[in-house]
Amino acid sequence: MRRTRALTVLIALILSLAAPPAAARESGPPPARPPAAPAEVLTQVIGDPVAVPRSNVHVFYEASVTCPAGQTPTGGGPKVSPYDNPLEMISSYPRGNGWVVTVDGGSDVDATLWATVICSTEPHTQVSNGPVTIAPQSEGGLSATCPAGQYATGGGGLVDLGVVHVYESFAGGNEANDRWTYYINNPAGRPLELRPFVICSTSPHHHYWGDGTKLPFSHGTAHDLKYCPSGTVTGGGALAIGTAVYESSFWGNGWLAQAVNYSGDHPEVRANVVCKD
């Protein structure tokens, strides 16, 4: 009896020494890490040219551009040639998967208009506000604001077709950088509706102002260019109080703003660039 019990204890001891600890039996190769999210890709796209023949009357032209499949707009605006030919901007805004611009083509030279857009592989939110009615022979504007915790990447405004002077189209909200303002002068004889747009991202973005350039008298034109001091350009706009913006588009890793002087003073045109940190 004792011999049988001793044999049983000996067998149990041998088995316990041969078997790995429970923790060792349950552990295996470490779990695979989830793949890193792909980095955002930003693509600058210029649409097809739109011919704008010379005219001594107000004729309105539209140009549009579409992002590559699977991408969404972050900002955009009009580009013109010759560069000093003021095809006066009326509207510049996101539409679906692209960008649309409309201009007043009353010009004394043949010109070309393009719509431009910056596109992203990451999702973005488009927010609009209004509309607000701008009475004849007056000026006014409105802002569109991003959802809480999001940042403006670009924006613009949609205005009824008419003789319009765009004074402001820019990112604002100070450090929050969460809104877009579109402000116009309406010299027409009828009210015009204005609707601002802002494009938003959950990734931090900041806006920066150019130094500004004085405009010469008597329909003189001038431009201002501001590059992103760090990060990558995603959109931009312009400010030209008392006169009219006619070009607002990307320029390398910066934003170009051009204006024409319809005032009796020397106003400034200033570029407003939005950069992803």
Side-chain angles (χ1 to χ4, degrees):
M1 189 73 177
R2 288 181 180 174
R3 187 176 298 173
T4 303
R5 182 177 179 184
L7 181 60
T8 302
V9 171
L10 179 62
I11 293 172
L13 178 61
I14 293 172
L15 290 176
S16 66
L17 293 174
R25 290 197 306 267
E26 293 172 1
S27 66
R33 293 181 179 179
E40 179 183 27
V41 176
L42 293 166
T43 306
Q44 298 180 356
V45 185
I46 301 176
D48 294 332
V50 174
V52 182
R54 68 187 69 190
S55 174
N56 58 5
V57 296
H58 297 288
V59 183
F60 306 113
Y61 292 86
E62 178 181 289
S64 62
V65 61
T66 303
C67 287
Q71 297 191 29
T72 58
T74 66
K79 183 182 291 293
V80 303
S81 178
Y83 75 92
D84 58 351
N85 185 42
L87 299 178
E88 199 166 327
M89 183 171 75
I90 299 171
S91 297
S92 173
Y93 64 101
R95 185 170 71 187
N97 196 37
W99 205 269
V100 178
V101 297
T102 56
V103 300
D104 184 343
S107 171
D108 57 0
V109 299
D110 294 330
T112 306
L113 168 70
W114 295 265
T116 70
V117 67
I118 300 175
C119 307
S120 170
T121 52
E122 292 186 356
H124 287 70
T125 303
Q126 295 182 17
V127 179
S128 63
N129 192 14
V132 62
T133 300
I134 310 301
Q137 308 299 317
S138 67
E139 58 187 61
L142 192 64
S143 296
T145 303
C146 290
Q150 296 195 28
Y151 303 84
T153 67
L158 171 61
V159 184
D160 292 339
L161 287 180
V163 180
V164 172
H165 298 163
V166 177
Y167 286 177
E168 303 173 9
S169 177
F170 64 88
N174 297 321
E175 287 301 313
N177 189 61
D178 62 355
R179 68 197 65 172
W180 199 271
T181 298
Y182 208 78
Y183 191 97
I184 69 168
N185 174 269
N186 177 14
R190 62 183 180 86
L192 298 175
E193 286 193 343
L194 179 156
R195 183 183 295 274
F197 287 78
V198 63
I199 302 179
C200 310
S201 169
T202 55
S203 299
H205 289 68
H206 285 88
H207 65 271
Y208 303 90
W209 286 100
D211 294 333
T213 304
K214 292 283 189 181
L215 287 152
F217 281 128
S218 186
H219 298 108
T221 63
H223 72 271
D224 189 36
L225 175 61
K226 178 66 176 178
Y227 289 101
C228 285
S230 61
T232 306
V233 59
T234 62
L239 182 148
I241 299 297
T243 185
V245 174
Y246 68 87
E247 179 164 344
S248 177
S249 181
F250 57 76
W251 188 272
N253 196 37
W255 202 263
L256 175 69
Q258 298 202 91
V260 56
N261 190 358
Y262 292 140
S263 77
D265 201 350
H266 277 297
E268 283 188 343
V269 56
R270 296 185 69 192
N272 174 258
V273 66
V274 182
C275 314
K276 181 176 181 181
D277 293 349

